[in-house]
Amino acid sequence: MAIEEEQEKLKAEFDSKLGPDAFHEGWQSLLKVDSAFFSASVSLASVPRRKSYLSRKEQVLIALAVDCAATHLYAPGIREHVTSAAKEGATRDEILEVIELSSTLGIHACNIGVPLLVEVLKEEGKYLEDITRPFDQTQQNLQQEFTEKRGYWHTFWEDFLRLDPEFFAGYLEFSSLPWIKNVEGTSGEGKGALEPKLKELVYCAFDAASTHLYVPGLKLHMRNALGYGATPQEILEVLEIATLLSLHTAHVAAPIIEELTGASN
């Protein structure tokens, strides 16, 4: 089979499995420089779409969470998934809410760093009063407010709240917005645009991504998602979509290879 004919066949397969709107420069170059890997990549990427435990709109929003996370920021994917989400019926508010939820990733610097700081202080025998004193009334109120707005509490917040209630309060306001804001046209007032289950699956997506792999958060949000009615198959599908981040290696590299060496095959 001629090279052009083979590529046309593979592109038709891509369109049938992933949709023509998903075809961007990275895919196009990969098709030219390594058609076999292109085909294998399409097969992998199409599995969640074919099984569809999550709706197509939910799948696209999960993929957006992976690509827009601060640890990845894959602009071609962000553009693709925003476009696809809108075509699948996602509203502007729903798309923006994925961005808002994904923007909480940075707090993991504190979730990991503060317990380590406390561990070091204990080992050094320094500032023990600061890390053992009970919550004052302000801190108790913040803990209650967090629990009410976010729907859970976890022990990894306690040292953070104890050592810097001001920054904790700032993060509480920042992270709670998707859970409490009024969105026109939604069923529940003051609950944001997305259902709680999907919010928790968004957290799972960027925590599970290979650029982050934040185990405490992933386990917590899996538990929360189950509590909101998620099935194991839905959570697994989130992990499968997050796995597709690895395809971006070829999507970024293939155009460069094509430019510098030419597509000789």
Side-chain angles (χ1 to χ4, degrees), residues 72-112:
H72 194 38
L73 294 176
Y74 180 59
I78 296 172
R79 180 175 294 276
E80 173 196 343
H81 300 313
V82 169
T83 301
S84 296
K87 288 185 176 180
E88 294 296 336
T91 66
R92 179 186 173 94
D93 287 314
E94 289 174 325
I95 294 169
L96 285 172
E97 193 158 288
V98 171
I99 304 303
E100 294 165 359
L101 293 164
S102 301
S103 296
T104 63
L105 183 150
I107 199 61
H108 298 159
C110 289
N111 291 145
I112 291 176

Side-chain angles (χ1 to χ4, degrees), residues 204-222:
C204 288
F206 63 74
D207 278 351
S210 59
T211 49
H212 196 41
L213 296 174
Y214 181 55
V215 175
L218 179 56
K219 185 175 182 179
L220 166 69
H221 293 300
M222 283 179 171

Side-chain angles (χ1 to χ4, degrees), residues 77-152:
I78 296 172
R79 180 175 294 276
E80 173 196 343
H81 300 313
V82 169
T83 301
S84 296
K87 288 185 176 180
E88 294 296 336
T91 66
R92 179 186 173 94
D93 287 314
E94 289 174 325
I95 294 169
L96 285 172
E97 193 158 288
V98 171
I99 304 303
E100 294 165 359
L101 293 164
S102 301
S103 296
T104 63
L105 183 150
I107 199 61
H108 298 159
C110 289
N111 291 145
I112 291 176
V114 172
L116 286 176
L117 172 60
V118 170
E119 184 178 324
V120 169
L121 293 175
K122 288 179 179 178
E123 291 170 353
E124 296 294 319
K126 297 178 178 179
Y127 303 98
L128 297 182
E129 182 181 348
D130 292 341
I131 60 176
T132 57
R133 65 164 61 102
F135 287 169
D136 60 23
Q137 190 60 53
T138 297
Q139 291 164 325
Q140 290 178 39
N141 292 342
L142 286 169
Q143 181 181 19
Q144 182 178 353
E145 184 181 354
F146 185 101
T147 304
E148 291 173 353
K149 289 182 175 179
R150 294 292 308 277
Y152 79 96

Side-chain angles (χ1 to χ4, degrees), residues 5-217:
E5 201 176 332
E6 180 190 12
Q7 290 178 350
E8 288 178 6
K9 180 181 177 182
L10 290 173
K11 175 59 167 63
E13 181 183 357
F14 180 101
D15 291 347
S16 67
K17 290 183 175 180
L18 300 180
D21 292 339
F23 195 72
H24 52 61
E25 181 191 17
W27 282 112
Q28 183 175 18
S29 291
L30 182 59
L31 175 59
K32 292 180 180 179
V33 302
D34 193 340
S35 60
F37 194 63
F38 174 93
S39 179
S41 298
V42 171
S43 294
L44 180 66
S46 65
V47 174
R49 181 160 184 163
R50 184 172 67 250
K51 293 166 68 177
S52 292
Y53 290 105
L54 299 169
S55 71
R56 180 60 188 146
K57 183 180 85 171
E58 290 170 334
Q59 288 183 344
V60 174
L61 292 175
I62 292 298
L64 174 61
V66 173
D67 285 359
C68 75
T71 49
H72 194 38
L73 294 176
Y74 180 59
I78 296 172
R79 180 175 294 276
E80 173 196 343
H81 300 313
V82 169
T83 301
S84 296
K87 288 185 176 180
E88 294 296 336
T91 66
R92 179 186 173 94
D93 287 314
E94 289 174 325
I95 294 169
L96 285 172
E97 193 158 288
V98 171
I99 304 303
E100 294 165 359
L101 293 164
S102 301
S103 296
T104 63
L105 183 150
I107 199 61
H108 298 159
C110 289
N111 291 145
I112 291 176
V114 172
L116 286 176
L117 172 60
V118 170
E119 184 178 324
V120 169
L121 293 175
K122 288 179 179 178
E123 291 170 353
E124 296 294 319
K126 297 178 178 179
Y127 303 98
L128 297 182
E129 182 181 348
D130 292 341
I131 60 176
T132 57
R133 65 164 61 102
F135 287 169
D136 60 23
Q137 190 60 53
T138 297
Q139 291 164 325
Q140 290 178 39
N141 292 342
L142 286 169
Q143 181 181 19
Q144 182 178 353
E145 184 181 354
F146 185 101
T147 304
E148 291 173 353
K149 289 182 175 179
R150 294 292 308 277
Y152 79 96
W153 181 258
H154 194 280
T155 55
F156 58 47
W157 294 115
E158 292 179 4
D159 289 326
F160 177 24
L161 175 56
R162 182 174 287 109
L163 289 174
D164 196 339
E166 291 81 10
F167 194 74
F168 183 91
Y171 176 70
L172 171 58
E173 179 182 359
F174 179 79
S175 67
S176 296
L177 182 65
W179 294 86
I180 64 171
K181 66 180 179 179
N182 293 319
V183 176
E184 186 177 351
T186 57
S187 56
E189 178 143 350
K191 294 184 179 180
L194 302 172
E195 292 299 316
K197 182 184 78 170
L198 187 54
K199 285 181 171 70
E200 292 293 343
L201 293 178
V202 166
Y203 293 134
C204 288
F206 63 74
D207 278 351
S210 59
T211 49
H212 196 41
L213 296 174
Y214 181 55
V215 175

